[in-house]
């Protein structure tokens, strides 16, 4: 009898923001005043005002579908040992400003086996309809030691040379497939 597994979707995100969280960016503006009184004294003063600008907001949603059983994308999917499952990660910049240097990491649970040739030989990750190699190279994604990484991080130490930036109002779709062990 096959092993039955309930896939629970989880995700680590390293883009400086978590889903729906806004970071405050202070903008400080100071007006300087210089004036003289009737006896020749000169005086100065300043007034300061701070505007708190809300940083770019990027939302993230992760879903899975059981390809073997003909399922559709959902927040919770079911499957048996040997079933092929495709994950879909949707990023959306819900602000008007660009979100730069976006990095997504996704560590796979031990009960799942990454499928390295899902979208062609050596290309197991898809970013916006373009197959990415599994290696640490010039594209936007890699798979290593049970972890998928998409986007170059600011420290440039995750192996990806392709930067992901999301213009205001734009979306990014990431796909990859796993087999349930």
């Amino acid at each position: 009898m096959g092993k039955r597994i309930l896939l629970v979707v989880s995700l680590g995100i390293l883009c400086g923001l978590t889903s729906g969280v806004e970071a405050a960016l202070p903008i400080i503006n100071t007006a300087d005043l210089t004036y003289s009184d009737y006896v020749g004294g000169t005086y100065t003063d300043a007034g300061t005002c701070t505007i708190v600008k809300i940083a770019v907001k990027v939302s993230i949603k992760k879903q899975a579908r059981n390809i073997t059983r003909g399922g559709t994308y959902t927040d919770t999917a079911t499957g048996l040992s040997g079933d092929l499952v495709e994950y879909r990660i949707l990023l959306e910049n819900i602000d008007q400003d660009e979100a730069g240097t976006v990095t997504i990491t996704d560590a796979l649970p031990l009960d799942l086996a990454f499928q390295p040739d899902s979208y062609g030989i050596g290309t197991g990750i898809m970013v916006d309809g373009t197959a990415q190699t599994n290696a640490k190279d010039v594209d936007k994604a890699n798979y290593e030691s049970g972890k998928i990484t998409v986007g170059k991080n600011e420290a440039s130490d995750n192996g990806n040379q392709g930067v992901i930036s999301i213009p205001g109002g734009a979306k990014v779709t990431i796909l990859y497939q796993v087999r349930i062990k």
Side-chain angles (χ1 to χ4, degrees):
M1 182 171 199
K3 181 165 106 179
R4 205 172 256 278
I5 293 181
L6 172 67
L7 300 174
V8 178
V9 176
S10 66
L11 177 70
I13 182 168
L14 298 175
C15 68
L17 300 174
T18 55
S19 181
V21 174
E22 299 174 351
L25 302 173
I27 300 170
I28 300 170
N29 188 354
T30 302
D32 295 313
L33 168 68
T34 303
Y35 65 96
S36 302
D37 64 13
Y38 66 92
V39 292
T42 302
Y43 305 94
T44 59
D45 200 357
T48 301
C49 178
T50 302
I51 298 171
V52 179
K53 178 182 178 188
I54 303 302
V56 175
K57 286 179 59 176
V58 176
S59 68
I60 184 167
K61 183 172 188 168
K62 184 175 179 185
Q63 298 177 314
R65 70 180 177 118
N66 188 324
I67 295 172
T68 303
R69 305 202 181 277
T72 58
Y73 289 109
T74 181
D75 293 338
T76 303
T78 59
L80 298 172
S81 293
D83 284 1
L84 185 63
V85 174
E86 184 172 63
Y87 280 110
R88 176 176 70 180
I89 300 171
L90 302 169
L91 306 172
E92 181 178 8
N93 182 346
I94 54 179
D95 194 59
Q96 65 184 10
D97 295 326
E98 180 176 289
T101 316
V102 176
T103 305
I104 295 90
T105 59
D106 194 354
L108 297 181
L110 296 177
D111 285 338
L112 300 176
F114 177 71
Q115 300 302 288
D117 300 322
S118 297
Y119 308 106
I121 297 173
T123 56
I125 305 164
M126 189 83 87
V127 178
D128 281 340
T130 302
Q132 307 291 308
T133 65
N134 305 319
K136 292 183 173 184
D137 55 19
V138 298
D139 65 12
K140 297 178 180 179
N142 72 67
Y143 173 79
E144 183 178 67
S145 303
K147 183 172 70 173
I148 292 165
T149 304
V150 179
K152 180 179 179 178
N153 63 3
E154 290 192 30
S156 296
D157 62 2
N158 68 0
N160 296 332
Q161 295 179 25
V163 173
I164 293 180
S165 296
I166 307 174
K171 298 177 183 180
V172 172
T173 301
I174 300 163
L175 303 172
Y176 67 90
Q177 295 178 7
V178 297
R179 191 162 304 278
I180 300 173
K181 293 180 182 178

